[in-house]
Amino acid sequence: MAYLFNTPQEQQEMLASIGAASIEELFEQIPASLRLGRPLDLPPAMGELELTQHLATLAAKNQGPGDKVCFLGGGSYDHFIPAAVDAIASRGEFYTSYTPYQPEVSQGNLQAMFEYQTLICELTGLDVSNASLYDGGSAIAEAVIMSMNTMRRHDKIVVLGSVHPEYRQILDTYFGPLGTQIVVVPTPGGTVDPAEVAAVVDDQTACVVVQSPNFFGSPEQVQALADIAHAKDALLVQSFDPLSLGVIKRPGDLGADIAVAEGHSLGSPMQYGGPYLGIMACREKFVRRMPGRICGETVDRRGKRCWVLTLQTREQHIRREKATSNICTNQGLFALRASIYLALMGPHGLQDVGELCARKSHYAATQIASQERFELAFSAPFFKEFVVRDLQNDVATVLADASEAGFFAGVALGTWFPELADCFLVTVTEKRTRVEIDGLVKTLALTTNRTTIHA
């Protein structure tokens, strides 16, 4: 839609229609101290050609995983995307369809949702999946709401310190104002001690929230944590890495009641924070507390196989006070991409990806830790991410030097963990080659030597 500004005459006509004499009178409710009081600080207007060139120059300042060798992680990953995913998902009937959660949604989109749900259930080992949520962070908050409503406990949740720090911030945003006690169990060794979790879970706890593999890349003892939660009639919510399930047991097999994940790594690229894909699955007995929409299979009046939205628990469809969520949506196109990816890869393909991630990351960790300047911060096993400590405590320089050499070497951890300000998180996906890994190690070695000379 084109943007057409209002003429002074039209502005006066609009003001007159609402009974205001001037713009000042319209905005008089806003304190003068909060008003800008000057024109916006914008450069002179440009012509179309000049503006296009200017925007292209600004856009070129962005650097993504296609510009440098990417070892970034911490929730967003540079995984391989088969060309067939783009080819199928970009078909017009999928790409241009209106928000695919209305009751009149087409049979094609409904079947795509049904296939997605089926694949997610097989992936997680749980009974029911919805048709996707916004992203992994909001999915974990929805899982906690679901736990509270199911267990009728709203006073307390227990969260591991190894859960993604931004996910924990989302939980604070959701539940802090409601007075819910959020108990964070520290993980100074990179993983949690189940005994410390058992010490804080009680009869008021709605759920225990665990991420496995956790933010530092290490698997937690999910089965033991599930037993602790269940002993107090609480639920276990597990956030997981979808591609880890090729080599690690599924949430449903470890006792998780609700499993959630950020699903962009299933066929969608890193996108500067989104849009992404929220995965959620649970045991069948909790299905009526699940947010979002569930597509079911049935037959029409002619006896032909067809699909229908079976459960829609958003306030659009039912009374607001009965809704299980007021914010959730259906990331239909991203769910479709995940379905295509999973169907292409199959169980053996997922296993191959998982093994490649694990083997390459362990090779990289061994090579980096062999450098005089670096060591691994934790001794716990890891899947595809690991924490490196800079013994000279100058992570910013290390990452900047590596960037100049063409590598996104990792994510600095000091932003979220002050006690790990001398550490950074390195991620190695199946895309990284041995040449690239060796190149990173060589670059880090040069950083070590250069700093030593300067000293």
Side-chain angles (χ1 to χ4, degrees):
M1 178 181 294
Y3 172 70
L4 301 174
F5 59 87
N6 305 120
T7 66
Q9 181 181 351
E10 289 170 331
Q11 292 177 9
Q12 288 303 318
E13 290 174 357
M14 287 188 287
L15 289 170
S17 70
I18 61 174
S22 65
I23 295 291
E24 285 298 316
E25 183 178 337
L26 177 64
F27 293 140
E28 66 181 4
Q29 298 298 321
I30 302 175
S33 60
L34 299 179
R35 300 187 200 179
L36 187 59
R38 60 170 175 77
L40 294 173
D41 184 16
L42 295 174
M46 303 179 188
E48 181 178 353
L49 175 60
E50 185 182 9
L51 180 61
T52 301
Q53 293 170 334
H54 176 65
L55 291 177
T57 301
L58 293 178
K61 293 183 178 180
N62 286 328
Q63 293 184 325
D67 301 305
K68 297 183 180 179
V69 182
C70 183
F71 291 90
L72 301 178
S76 182
Y77 304 101
D78 183 31
H79 284 290
F80 174 68
I81 301 173
V85 175
D86 283 333
I88 298 173
S90 61
R91 288 177 61 94
E93 55 268 46
F94 290 124
Y95 208 71
T96 63
S97 60
Y98 179 63
T99 49
Y101 52 73
Q102 307 297 352
E104 65 275 17
V105 63
S106 71
Q107 283 294 297
N109 274 311
L110 285 169
Q111 183 178 1
M113 291 184 202
F114 185 81
E115 300 292 352
Y116 165 81
Q117 294 168 188
T118 303
L119 289 163
I120 295 302
C121 288
E122 292 183 1
L123 183 69
T124 59
L126 290 167
D127 305 315
V128 185
S129 165
N130 64 14
S132 75
L133 297 171
Y134 276 113
D135 53 27
S138 57
I140 207 169
E142 293 287 346
V144 171
I145 293 173
M146 188 175 160
S147 300
M148 289 178 168
N149 292 336
T150 299
M151 307 313 294
R152 300 185 185 279
R153 297 174 178 177
H154 296 80
D155 295 332
K156 180 179 178 180
I157 62 174
V158 174
V159 184
L160 271 58
S162 56
V163 171
H164 195 305
E166 292 180 349
Y167 291 1
R168 287 190 277 117
Q169 288 175 355
I170 293 172
L171 295 178
D172 288 339
T173 301
Y174 266 68
F175 305 107
L178 300 178
T180 300
Q181 182 185 9
I182 302 175
V183 179
V184 178
V185 183
T187 54
T191 57
V192 79
D193 180 353
E196 294 191 13
V197 177
V200 297
V201 175
D202 56 25
D203 295 338
Q204 301 300 312
T205 305
C207 62
V208 174
V209 181
V210 55
Q211 180 177 350
S212 182
N214 63 30
F215 181 73
F216 306 119
S218 298
E220 298 281 1
Q221 299 181 55
V222 178
Q223 181 67 67
L225 297 172
D227 292 342
I228 291 169
H230 295 159
K232 297 294 183 181
D233 289 331
L235 300 185
L236 186 88
V237 175
Q238 181 186 349
S239 175
F240 64 97
D241 180 337
L243 291 181
S244 73
L245 301 185
V247 293
I248 295 176
K249 282 189 176 180
R250 303 178 297 178
D253 298 332
L254 294 173
D257 300 290
I258 306 170
V260 294
E262 171 47 61
H264 93 85
S265 55
L266 302 175
S268 295
M270 305 171 82
Q271 299 186 74
Y272 303 101
Y276 280 162
L277 170 68
I279 292 174
M280 174 179 277
C282 70
R283 300 194 184 281
E284 185 172 6
K285 60 183 177 182
F286 306 131
V287 64
R288 291 197 172 276
R289 295 293 183 181
M290 177 174 260
R293 302 154 189 88
I294 295 177
C295 179
E297 179 183 2
T298 184
V299 293
D300 64 13
R301 61 182 179 177
R302 302 181 185 86
K304 294 183 177 178
R305 185 189 186 201
C306 63
W307 295 268
V308 63
L309 282 180
T310 305
L311 194 66
Q312 304 175 74
T313 54
R314 190 178 179 178
E315 83 284 357
Q316 285 175 311
H317 308 291
I318 61 177
R319 287 188 300 171
R320 184 178 182 86
E321 62 272 20
K322 295 288 186 180
T324 55
S325 171
N326 294 317
I327 66 101
C328 69
T329 189
N330 172 206
Q331 296 286 67
L333 193 60
F334 295 92
L336 173 68
R337 294 179 68 91
S339 302
I340 299 167
Y341 178 90
L342 288 169
L344 284 169
M345 301 300 287
H348 296 297
L350 283 182
Q351 183 177 355
D352 289 343
V353 171
E355 289 179 350
L356 286 171
C357 291
R359 290 174 180 172
K360 292 185 177 185
S361 61
H362 280 75
Y363 171 74
T366 301
Q367 296 301 311
I368 293 174
S370 69
Q371 303 300 312
E372 180 182 352
R373 178 170 176 168
F374 304 103
E375 67 178 13
L376 299 185
F378 305 125
S379 59
F382 57 88
F383 168 53
K384 69 182 179 188
E385 294 176 275
F386 53 93
V387 178
V388 175
R389 171 167 286 115
D390 173 21
L391 297 176
Q392 296 184 14
N393 193 12
D394 192 6
V395 170
T397 300
V398 169
L399 299 183
D401 287 351
S403 180
E404 281 191 20
F407 295 91
F408 291 129
V411 178
L413 294 179
T415 301
W416 302 292
F417 302 92
E419 70 277 17
L420 298 176
D422 58 347
C423 297
F424 57 101
L425 184 70
V426 178
T427 302
V428 185
T429 70
E430 80 282 10
K431 284 182 68 175
R432 299 287 71 85
T433 66
R434 181 160 182 164
V435 171
E436 291 172 336
I437 295 170
D438 290 342
L440 173 66
V441 174
K442 183 178 179 180
T443 298
L444 295 178
L446 291 174
T447 299
T448 301
N449 295 334
R450 183 161 57 249
T451 305
T452 301
I453 293 172
H454 291 168

